[in-house]
Amino acid sequence: MDINQISELFAQAIGAKNVITGERLALRGTGYCAASYDGDVLLTPCSAQEVSEVCRLAAEHGLAIVPHGGLTGLVQGTATAPGQVALSLEKMNRILDLDPVQGVVTAEAGVTLQQVIDAAEPHGFAPGVDLPSRGSCTLGGLASTNAGGIQAIRYGMARDNILGLEAVLADGTILDLNNTLLKNNAGYDLKQLFIGSEGTLGVITKITLRLHSRPSSVQTALIGCAGTEDLFQVLASTRKAFGASLLSFEAMWPEFFTQIATHLGNRLVSPDCGIYGVIETGQWGEPGQDDALTVFLAQCFEDGLLQDGTVAQSETQRRTIWQLREDADVIESLSGPCLSYDVGLRLNDIPGYVEQLQERIARDCPGVGCYVFGHMGDGNLHIMAGPAPDPISHAAIDGAVYGVLQQFAGTTVSAEHGIGLEKRAHLPLSRPDAAIAAMKQLKAALDPKCMLNPGKIFAC
Ligand SMILES: Cc1cc2nc3c(=O)[nH]c(=O)nc-3n(C[C@H](O)[C@H](O)[C@H](O)COP(=O)(O)OP(=O)(O)OC[C@H]3O[C@@H](n4cnc5c(N)ncnc54)[C@H](O)[C@@H]3O)c2cc1C
């Protein structure tokens, strides 16, 4: 079928204005995946029924569907090849119900995380998942990538916060797996199949999220330590001292921190530390121990664990601290396009991994910068490395990141971003053959013709 025939087919089901091609499509940003619109057709259905009709028609005509959320995914999961059809949930952007007694919110899958944060705040709630891409990423994207983020140390990943969902299968069946109960063991918990499956098993159309009491105040600190061992000791002590009040514990290696701090003209802490961390703690109820983090960090200084540190004294300062951690795009604006990685290791292996990685990149990839940061409390490192202008340098950097990773046990090539197309070749490093075979059986059972996001995670 040519583009006109495809447009005509879907226009009958969802209206011509919801079939976007040509100039209207060319005007759109492709997000973090340059190939998001290579199929030249984007559908924007307005309801689960319309998504169902689109899937039914697509299956009938052998057209693959690629679900799109906010296009902030970092593993090419929204790449839409010629002959495939992109399906965006952007018009399904309504919060349907927020129940402050139950502490749950139900929303259409195209709702952004920021919309949920804003809707929950007046009721004294917040979603447990929070990411730097909160302004654009959608609940459908969060669910299908099982996103982690900056508060996973406290509230877990998306999977731990999703109570129910609705998904449309490849043949158009609408599967109502919605649920607002904290406890529901009536048979298999099928929603889990769709969480983290990157749009390969169904199009998620509705989600119910658990909400959490918003802290009445937070304390945020930027700290600098001589090295990773000291930062680990601070992490261990922070866990002991703050328990469930510890919301975030992030790390930035000097190459990453210095680039961003210099760019932002930030002088909150010394530029000469061996490693940097961001700690955020919450307080619930009446004000009382607003300086608990300050007191705790003063003790860390006395114990020789900190080289420098500052606790935010205002919301503006808090935002500045988070900007240092979250503005990773600055690295690319200064150093050119980078490859990005998202590995997971046991905490004790992190110092050895980073040291060996930096040595290997210096040896095998001359001229390539290596910038490491991430969710230290979760053992999740993000690595940006570049420039990698050609496939040979790309392969050399991949070889360094994953070659060194293989020397450690119990690691993952994807702690939170997923596999998409980008990390497909490396999936066997993290999952045994039998597990990948079981994944393929599951895919064949739910999507036998491989119509949903084909080629993502593994080849059908
Ligand atoms: C600045 C920045 C910071 C980030 N920080 C984090 C972080 O801390 N933690 C983290 O985990 N991730 C992070 N990410 C990655 C990304 O934001 C998350 O993976 C997010 O969950 C993707 O949501 P999205 O709506 O943009 O999805 P998209 O990018 O549109 O899609 C991502 C994947 O989900 C599928 N998909 C999207 N919507 C649906 C749907 N309704 N049904 C079925 N499949 C669907 C797509 O096919 C694709 O495979 C970050 C990204 C950026 C740009």
Side-chain angles (χ1 to χ4, degrees):
M1 292 173 90
D2 65 24
I3 298 295
N4 290 335
Q5 290 167 317
I6 295 175
S7 302
E8 183 62 25
L9 174 73
F10 291 112
Q12 286 170 16
I14 60 173
K17 71 173 190 303
N18 292 318
V19 180
I20 300 171
T21 57
E23 268 184 25
R24 277 174 74 210
L25 192 56
L27 288 172
R28 290 178 161 245
T30 58
Y32 283 78
C33 172
S36 287
Y37 300 130
D38 284 4
D40 292 330
V41 183
L42 173 69
L43 309 179
T44 58
C46 300
S47 66
Q49 285 67 29
E50 288 191 357
V51 173
S52 161
E53 188 56 10
V54 164
C55 288
R56 195 190 62 71
L57 283 172
E60 198 178 305
H61 292 83
L63 293 165
I65 296 282
V66 179
H68 282 192
L71 304 181
T72 66
L74 299 173
V75 293
Q76 308 295 311
T78 52
T80 308
Q84 301 181 343
V85 176
L87 182 154
S88 170
L89 281 289
E90 66 192 43
K91 290 200 176 143
M92 296 177 60
N93 57 5
R94 290 173 306 154
I95 292 187
L96 302 170
D97 184 44
L98 194 154
D99 181 343
V101 177
Q102 191 88 351
V104 298
V105 59
T106 301
E108 292 180 317
V111 160
T112 62
L113 179 58
Q114 187 66 53
Q115 274 180 270
V116 177
I117 293 170
D118 293 344
E121 186 175 357
H123 300 277
F125 284 110
V129 181
D130 192 14
L131 316 178
S133 54
R134 57 185 79 75
S136 306
C137 69
T138 63
L139 296 190
L142 283 178
S144 53
T145 60
N146 185 27
I150 56 177
Q151 294 189 346
I153 192 171
R154 170 66 180 87
Y155 299 112
M157 299 180 76
R159 188 182 299 290
D160 303 296
N161 291 276
I162 294 174
L163 291 175
L165 54 78
E166 176 185 77
V168 177
L169 301 182
D171 65 0
T173 304
I174 300 178
L175 215 50
D176 182 356
L177 306 171
N178 210 19
N179 165 66
T180 56
L181 304 176
L182 186 58
K183 295 176 162 184
N184 188 342
N185 278 347
Y188 297 164
D189 189 2
L190 292 178
K191 71 170 184 284
Q192 300 294 356
L193 293 179
F194 300 93
I195 302 171
S197 60
E198 301 182 45
T200 61
L201 298 182
V203 181
I204 298 171
T205 45
K206 194 195 286 181
I207 289 179
T208 294
L209 273 185
R210 195 175 168 186
L211 295 172
H212 302 273
S213 296
R214 212 181 157 78
S216 43
S217 63
V218 292
Q219 281 199 291
T220 309
L222 175 64
I223 59 167
C225 299
T228 329
E229 304 299 341
D230 287 350
L231 189 66
F232 282 160
Q233 282 204 44
V234 177
L235 170 61
S237 309
T238 313
R239 278 187 160 135
K240 263 193 214 146
F242 292 95
S245 305
L246 175 61
L247 298 174
S248 305
F249 197 106
E250 305 281 302
M252 296 169 278
W253 271 255
E255 298 76 10
F256 176 89
F257 178 81
T258 309
Q259 286 257 19
I260 299 189
T262 308
H263 180 75
L264 297 176
N266 190 295
R267 301 199 202 308
L268 281 175
V269 292
S270 155
D272 299 321
C273 300
I275 190 165
Y276 297 86
V278 175
I279 306 174
E280 189 155 276
T281 58
Q283 201 198 336
W284 286 260
E286 294 301 311
Q289 292 198 312
D290 286 349
D291 61 347
L293 188 58
T294 312
V295 172
F296 167 79
L297 290 176
Q299 185 60 49
C300 290
F301 263 118
E302 277 194 26
D303 296 343
L305 295 174
L306 295 189
Q307 287 188 315
D308 202 355
T310 184
V311 177
Q313 299 302 317
S314 64
E315 181 56 22
T316 310
Q317 256 187 24
R318 174 177 174 261
R319 280 179 199 275
T320 307
I321 289 176
W322 274 113
Q323 203 181 1
L324 287 163
R325 161 60 188 83
E326 294 186 342
D327 247 355
D329 287 353
V330 166
I331 299 286
E332 291 203 297
S333 69
L334 297 174
S335 315
C338 288
L339 303 174
S340 79
Y341 300 88
D342 165 43
V343 301
L345 295 103
R346 290 185 307 200
L347 289 179
N348 281 337
D349 292 333
I350 286 180
Y353 175 73
V354 174
E355 200 180 317
Q356 288 182 46
L357 173 67
Q358 286 170 334
E359 283 169 13
R360 176 97 173 245
I361 289 197
R363 190 192 73 194
D364 294 353
C365 318
V368 167
C370 175
Y371 310 95
V372 186
F373 62 106
H375 313 295
M376 184 66 119
D378 314 330
N380 178 190
L381 298 183
H382 296 318
I383 299 153
M384 295 175 78
D390 52 51
I392 295 174
S393 41
H394 189 146
I397 299 172
D398 275 5
V401 171
Y402 297 127
V404 177
L405 194 67
Q406 273 178 280
Q407 292 169 27
F408 297 86
T411 62
T412 178
V413 298
S414 174
E416 59 178 11
H417 292 162
I419 296 294
L421 283 183
E422 180 80 28
K423 312 220 178 311
R424 211 172 75 164
H426 310 289
L427 179 62
L429 296 180
S430 300
R431 301 287 188 202
D433 291 348
I436 296 173
M439 290 182 205
K440 289 183 176 176
Q441 280 179 332
L442 199 55
K443 170 76 173 165
L446 287 180
D447 180 15
K449 294 185 191 158
C450 200
M451 288 286 118
L452 284 179
N453 219 358
K456 309 298 160 44
I457 307 180
F458 42 71
C460 286

